[in-house]
Structures are given as structure tokens and as C-alpha cells.
Amino acid sequence: MERLGTGIGWRPEIADAVERMPGVDWVEAVAENVCPGHLPESLVRLRERGVSVVPHGVSLGLGGAGRPDAGRLAALAERAEALGSPLVSEHIAFVRAGGALTASPALEAGHLLPVPRTRDALDVLCENVRIARDALPVPLALENIAALISWPGEELTEGQFLYELADRTGVRLLIDVANLYTNQVNRGEDPSEALAELPLEAIAYVHVAGGFERDGVWHDSHAHPVPPQVLDVLTDLAARVSPPGVLLERDENFPEPAELERELGAIREALVKGFAGRPAPSRAEAARPARREA
């Protein structure tokens, strides 16, 4: 997988600041907010400087019962090609239901909804992912999402669900450590257990974001500073694997550029702390040839 480095979510409100930030190796742009025929000048300048741009989709709904919409897939592919992107990303979620093949009118949720962790739901998701991968010109990475609830009758943990998805489809994983922390607060799931079950070699990159707690519920707002608890999950992940890329997400309530730079610095420190905490390899591991990816 291509090494991306440290990045930040590109948003029009902070475009000028992102261009001036030192040490930004790559950016991620919401795919649906980018027009391939009229790319924002800021993104064009970043690309000319050699900064990678990754389109991050929010509307495919690969976890839904229906097959991926061909028009949405074509649009995502078009953005990847226009930006010269090394990969694209989306979410493990469903966003719509109903429609012509059902007895219900089409309904758009306007939100990323969690996929039930059942084997039936996994079968549907895997088939949709295969369709999406075949339609895209670059690799696809899928993100674990934050949720307020657990569906009744779930058969798999988050780690098991993600492992089987990657194993059966070959899709890359976008691990959001803030979402792992959210699920710890809201659903009682241990982030360390989820990380221990992941196919670490499938990780394409990592999201880091802030939120807030209210009445015992954690809200993944993307509008607040990254808390120490989320950085701790990042450190835990870095103690297990060197992620190809790590990205700071902020979608609103933007602070001064200096504050965003401090958060990027805290992310780098969390990674270094994790790397330093790794056990030394045994002699057998040190002598083992490096694994080559197909």
C-alpha cells in the first residue's frame, strides 16, 4: 500500500490554511463536494506540489440491501481520476432503503447507519464491495463507523466483521480510531479487542477526530478537539502496526490554523509513542524475509 504520511481533511473553509501548513503529506476531500470538471484551485495547487488527494465518499451505502448505484460508482471513479488519487474510501454503512423493488418508497437517511454484524448482512456487504471494486480505477478502502446502538442478534464482533470483510473481498480498511472510542463509550466495546482481531496488513490509513460526551453518550462530532482517549487508541494501533497514513478530520467549528497544527503534532506524538512501545522482534522474526504483497 502506498505510504501517505500525515494528512488533514481538506475543507473549503480551511483550504488556505491547509496549503500553508508544514508537514502535510496528503489531504482527503469529501467526494460528493468535488466537481471533476471544476476542481477547487486549492486542490489543484496541492496536487501540483505533490500532495496526494484522496476522495472520501459518503453516499454509496454499500451496507444496504440494494446493489451499488452505477451512477454513484462512476462519479466516484471520475473524481479519483481527476485528482490522480492513489485510492478512494467509503464507509461500512447503509444510507437508504426502500425503492422500486420493495413495497416502500425510497428513503434517504441523510446519515451513516451501522450495518448489523450478522452473516447475512456480511454476505450482502461483500457482494456490494466486489461490485464497487470492479467499477473503480484505484483501490477501495472502507471505514468503520461510529454508532449509538447495537442491532439485536449480532453474531460477530467489530473486529471479526472487519476481518472477514477484508479476507473475503480483498478490500482495504480505513480504521477510524475515534469511531472505535465512540463504540467503546456507547456500546461497551473494547477498542483493544477490535484492534487485536483486525488484519493489520489490510489497513490503508487511519482517521483521527474529536467529539464530546453528553449524558453518557459519545457524539462523534468532527467539530471538537481530539481527546486524549482517542489518541490513546491511536497509540495502541501504532504499537501493533505502522499505518500507511494518518489523517486529522474536522468538518465544522474550525479553530485557528495553529490549533490544527498542534493537533497534527499530538497525532505524530501518539504514533511515536506507539512505535516505541513495540516489543523487540525475536531473532527468528528479524531473520524472516519481508512478506511481499501480491
Side-chain angles (χ1 to χ4, degrees):
M1 194 68 207
E2 179 172 331
R3 302 298 299 186
L4 294 168
T6 303
I8 188 169
W10 182 92
R11 305 293 184 265
E13 296 90 339
I14 56 172
D16 292 341
V18 168
E19 285 191 64
R20 295 192 296 267
M21 279 182 194
V24 171
D25 303 309
W26 66 291
V27 299
E28 182 190 75
V30 177
E32 287 81 354
N33 293 345
V34 175
C35 179
H38 303 279
L39 293 176
E41 293 183 3
S42 173
L43 287 181
V44 173
R45 288 191 293 266
L46 287 168
R47 286 288 302 121
E48 291 173 346
R49 283 167 37 192
V51 175
S52 296
V53 181
V54 173
H56 185 54
V58 298
S59 64
L60 273 184
L62 295 173
R67 294 298 176 229
D69 180 78
R72 294 179 190 275
L73 283 172
L76 188 56
E78 187 179 12
R79 282 149 180 78
E81 292 174 335
L83 293 165
S85 304
L87 75 161
V88 298
S89 59
E90 248 287 351
H91 298 82
I92 301 169
F94 69 93
V95 298
R96 63 185 62 86
L101 299 180
T102 74
S104 303
L107 174 66
E108 291 282 340
H111 191 71
L112 299 170
L113 300 172
V115 176
R117 295 179 198 150
T118 64
R119 298 210 171 269
D120 285 345
L122 180 62
D123 289 343
V124 173
L125 174 62
C126 286
E127 182 59 26
N128 286 347
V129 168
R130 293 187 191 101
I131 293 170
R133 289 190 69 201
D134 288 345
L136 294 169
V138 294
L140 171 66
L142 292 182
E143 178 182 352
N144 59 299
I145 71 165
L148 296 174
I149 62 165
S150 295
W151 293 104
E154 291 194 325
E155 301 165 324
L156 301 166
T157 65
E158 178 152 39
Q160 292 167 341
F161 193 86
L162 294 175
Y163 188 98
E164 290 211 26
L165 173 64
D167 186 57
R168 290 171 56 176
T169 67
V171 75
R172 295 288 179 169
L173 298 178
L174 160 50
I175 298 302
D176 191 313
V177 293
N179 291 348
L180 290 180
Y181 176 70
T182 300
N183 293 344
Q184 177 185 31
V185 176
N186 296 347
R187 305 205 286 193
E189 298 171 350
D190 186 346
S192 293
E193 292 182 5
L195 291 175
E197 292 175 332
L198 290 180
L200 299 178
E201 68 278 3
I203 295 178
Y205 64 96
V206 175
H207 271 175
V208 184
F212 66 95
E213 186 174 352
R214 178 182 295 159
D215 298 328
V217 175
W218 187 265
H219 299 270
D220 179 44
S221 67
H222 291 196
H224 293 77
V226 177
Q229 301 95 318
V230 170
L231 293 173
D232 288 344
V233 181
L234 177 61
T235 294
D236 187 359
L237 184 148
R240 303 167 189 268
V241 68
S242 298
V246 181
L247 182 123
L248 172 64
E249 279 192 298
R250 188 77 173 231
D251 290 326
E252 56 183 316
N253 192 25
F254 298 102
E256 292 297 317
E259 178 60 28
L260 292 174
E261 291 179 26
R262 280 192 289 271
E263 290 205 300
L264 286 171
I267 287 171
R268 295 186 183 99
E269 290 174 6
L271 290 170
V272 170
K273 183 179 178 181
F275 298 157
R278 292 182 190 174
S282 66
R283 290 184 178 181
E285 290 172 331
R288 188 180 301 149
R291 177 183 173 185
R292 280 184 15 181
E293 292 190 21

